[in-house]
Amino acid sequence: MRFNRMLLSTTLVVVALVVQVSVLARLHLPGAVPDLMLLTVLGLALVYGHVGGALIGFGAGLLADLAPPADHAAGRYALVLCVIGYLAGLVKPESGQLRSATGPMAVVVASAIGSTLLYAGVGALVGDTAGAQVGLGSLLFTATLYDLLLAPFVVPGIMALARRAEHDPLAESSGSGKSSEVSTGWLSAGTGMRGGLRIGSQRGGGLRNGNGMRMKSAKARLVRTGRIKGVKRL
């Protein structure tokens, strides 16, 4: 189960990074860039919980820090996504399924705003002034808008893939095999009981028939004996 999580998470994070760097970053949209990495971490955290969300967020952020063209200090985005993944995992539904889209959309809005503020705050602490020429208000608005528009096409699909990876087909097949064996056992037992009842009834019928024949033969002997005795008396 953990291997399925690691394999799926690694694949989704790598695909998201490639799409973000090669496609979304080259759209030259005003303000921020649509954060596909953030949406991927959110979708996985809503299924795997706060621990899985924190680990996946840290790995995804570190990969984004090291991937070219990185224009910020290494570890900055890893810290941001680690915190966001942990907080998003805390609101994971107990049943594992979301009843409406309101909750995920609220998580996306809060994560977009929180990640932007946390990224700017960490940059101010480490002296990284990259992107300081863009206003913080514009970054918050555009990041929230882009992520909110992209979320319906990304988050539900990632959550569905994560749920499917949680199921073990081998366990399901073995369970179905056991159930079929149990049902076969029940059928064979029922057949044996019915066969035993039939054989018993046949044996009982044979015994009854045999007793009847014996009684008839005894009566015939008595009749013949009476006739013979009567003849002798005459």
Side-chain angles (χ1 to χ4, degrees):
M1 197 67 67
R2 292 182 180 179
F3 177 76
N4 293 339
R5 287 188 178 188
M6 293 175 59
L7 181 61
L8 178 64
S9 301
T10 304
T11 303
L12 291 177
V13 166
V14 170
V15 171
L17 179 63
V18 171
V19 173
Q20 183 164 343
V21 171
S22 60
V23 178
L24 298 179
R26 297 184 179 182
L27 294 178
H28 301 291
L29 297 174
V33 177
D35 200 343
L36 187 59
M37 295 284 287
L38 174 65
L39 298 178
T40 303
V41 172
L42 291 179
L44 294 173
L46 289 175
V47 178
Y48 295 150
H50 59 282
V51 176
L55 294 176
I56 294 171
F58 179 79
L62 186 61
L63 188 62
D65 289 333
L66 300 177
D71 56 350
H72 55 269
R76 179 178 174 184
Y77 200 49
L79 176 61
V80 172
L81 286 186
C82 180
V83 174
I84 295 298
Y86 179 84
L87 295 178
L90 292 177
V91 298
K92 169 191 172 184
E94 296 181 358
S95 61
Q97 295 182 356
L98 299 173
R99 297 180 180 179
S100 64
T102 305
M105 292 299 103
V107 173
V108 170
V109 172
S111 299
I113 297 174
S115 62
T116 304
L117 293 175
L118 187 57
Y119 187 83
V122 174
L125 290 176
V126 299
D128 190 353
T129 59
Q133 65 275 11
V134 182
L136 184 60
S138 176
L139 283 177
L140 287 174
F141 176 76
T142 53
T144 304
L145 178 63
Y146 296 154
D147 293 344
L148 194 59
L149 292 176
L150 191 60
F153 304 99
V154 178
V155 177
I158 291 177
M159 293 181 67
L161 290 175
R163 290 195 194 99
R164 290 189 63 182
E166 288 294 289
H167 297 290
D168 190 357
L170 295 179
E172 293 177 357
S173 62
S174 63
S176 61
K178 290 181 180 179
S179 61
S180 62
E181 290 177 1
V182 171
S183 61
T184 305
W186 277 104
L187 290 175
S188 61
T191 306
M193 291 177 65
R194 290 194 297 270
L197 290 174
R198 289 177 182 175
I199 293 172
S201 63
Q202 290 177 0
R203 289 180 179 176
L207 290 174
R208 289 194 296 270
N209 292 332
N211 292 331
M213 293 296 292
R214 290 176 183 176
M215 292 177 67
K216 289 181 180 180
S217 61
K219 289 180 180 180
R221 290 177 183 176
L222 290 174
V223 171
R224 288 196 299 268
T225 303
R227 287 178 180 177
I228 292 172
K229 290 181 178 180
V231 171
K232 287 181 179 181
R233 287 177 181 176
L234 291 173

